């Protein structure tokens, strides 16, 4: 199993690059943001809880997120070469829980690929996406909160994965094809 964490701030291109990775490598894809938005759309209890956090630009509590993640992962079965984790982990406790959950199944994370994009570009991209997608959390005020959350709670994972020896930095600014090429270089060498 080549499990990969695609990592970066909101708007760094994780979803776009995940789509290309799915097509090329036949990987499964878990976007925790998509999972939660689906729960909100279906008006489930979990969706109601999640919406309160998402609309404020805050993270859903770790315990809840870890349970959701394990359930979705186990739902994949064995038909994939591996899974892309997109939007998870977002905190150090989530990274520790992911490592434990995978090792209990005899699996691991093979690479953490960080898409590095400057702050002003993230802001521009997210405001544009908000206009096109109508995502309720892509408005200027909530975007600022999400970027703060990223810097305070999520960015420390770069050092955490560096220590694990599986962090790969990629310049996420520029041509889509060049960025994807850099990602393929990492995956092909795993
Ligand atoms: P995303 O689509 O990945 O930008 O996620 C949208 C929102 O869903 C985030 O701002 C969080 O409120 C919530 N969310 C998604 N993934 C996680 C996670 N791993 N931990 C906590 N909250 C999450």
């Amino acid at each position: 199993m080549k499990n990969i964490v695609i990592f970066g701030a909101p708007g760094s291109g994780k979803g776009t690059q995940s789509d290309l990775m799915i097509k090329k490598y036949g990987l499964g894809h878990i976007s925790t943001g998509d999972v939660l938005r689906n729960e909100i759309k279906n008006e489930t209890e979990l969706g109601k809880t999640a919406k309160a956090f998402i609309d404020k630009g805050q993270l859903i509590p770790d315990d809840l997120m870890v349970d959701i993640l394990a359930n979705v992962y186990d739902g994949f079965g064995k038909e994939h070469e591996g899974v892309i984790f997109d939007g998870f982990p977002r905190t150090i406790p989530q990274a520790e829980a992911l490592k434990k959950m995978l090792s209990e199944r005899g699996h691991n994370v093979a690479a953490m690929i960080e898409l590095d994009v400057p702050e002003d570009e993230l802001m521009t991209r997210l405001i544009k996406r908000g206009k096109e997608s109508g995502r309720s959390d892509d408005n200027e005020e909530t975007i600022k909160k999400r970027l703060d959350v990223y810097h305070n709670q999520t960015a420390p994972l770069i050092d955490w994965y560096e220590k694990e020896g599986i962090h790969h930095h990629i310049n996420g600014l520029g041509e889509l094809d060049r960025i994807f090429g850099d990602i393929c270089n990492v995956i092909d060498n795993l």
Side-chain angles (χ1 to χ4, degrees):
M1 297 283 279
K2 266 188 196 175
N3 289 320
I4 291 165
V5 170
I6 186 88
F7 184 90
S12 59
K14 300 188 294 290
T16 307
Q17 294 296 336
S18 290
D19 288 343
L20 298 170
M21 288 155 75
I22 295 162
K23 275 201 202 103
K24 177 160 177 175
Y25 295 101
L27 295 165
H29 180 225
I30 302 177
S31 154
T32 44
D34 284 350
V35 170
L36 297 171
R37 280 184 289 275
N38 209 32
E39 296 287 333
I40 293 172
K41 203 175 85 198
N42 294 330
E43 297 180 348
T44 63
E45 276 309 308
L46 171 58
K48 279 181 210 152
T49 309
K51 189 171 171 24
F53 290 99
I54 291 178
D55 285 351
K56 281 188 251 163
Q58 294 171 357
L59 297 183
I60 276 74
D62 287 336
D63 290 353
L64 188 55
M65 244 10 264
V66 169
D67 283 350
I68 297 168
L69 198 270
N71 280 331
V72 180
Y73 186 78
D74 287 336
F76 265 104
K78 303 217 179 310
E79 72 269 30
H80 292 283
E81 296 293 315
V83 166
I84 303 165
F85 296 104
D86 167 358
F88 189 100
R90 265 177 150 98
T91 63
I92 288 177
Q94 287 184 15
E96 285 165 347
L98 178 63
K99 188 176 176 180
K100 180 162 173 280
M101 188 274 279
L102 291 174
S103 78
E104 282 165 2
R105 290 155 177 78
H107 300 168
N108 65 0
V109 173
M112 181 275 223
I113 301 178
E114 178 205 350
L115 299 175
D116 185 7
V117 175
E119 185 98 7
D120 53 343
E121 170 71 11
L122 294 171
M123 203 68 202
T124 311
R125 286 186 193 179
L126 288 166
I127 288 170
K128 183 162 174 271
R129 185 173 77 184
K131 285 188 187 130
E132 287 161 4
S133 73
R135 252 179 74 162
S136 62
D137 57 347
D138 280 346
N139 61 76
E140 197 161 340
E141 195 192 331
T142 313
I143 292 168
K144 282 197 181 123
K145 283 192 198 136
R146 287 161 63 209
L147 291 175
D148 277 351
V149 166
Y150 171 77
H151 289 301
N152 294 328
Q153 300 189 56
T154 307
L157 284 172
I158 297 171
D159 277 349
W160 193 89
Y161 276 108
E162 186 68 40
K163 288 195 187 103
E164 292 280 299
I166 57 170
H167 165 243
H168 301 265
H169 172 270
I170 285 177
N171 175 6
L173 190 62
E175 286 290 309
L176 212 82
D177 288 350
R178 195 272 305 150
I179 299 168
F180 185 55
D182 287 355
I183 292 177
C184 294
N185 267 341
V186 173
I187 298 177
D188 292 341
N189 286 306
L190 289 177

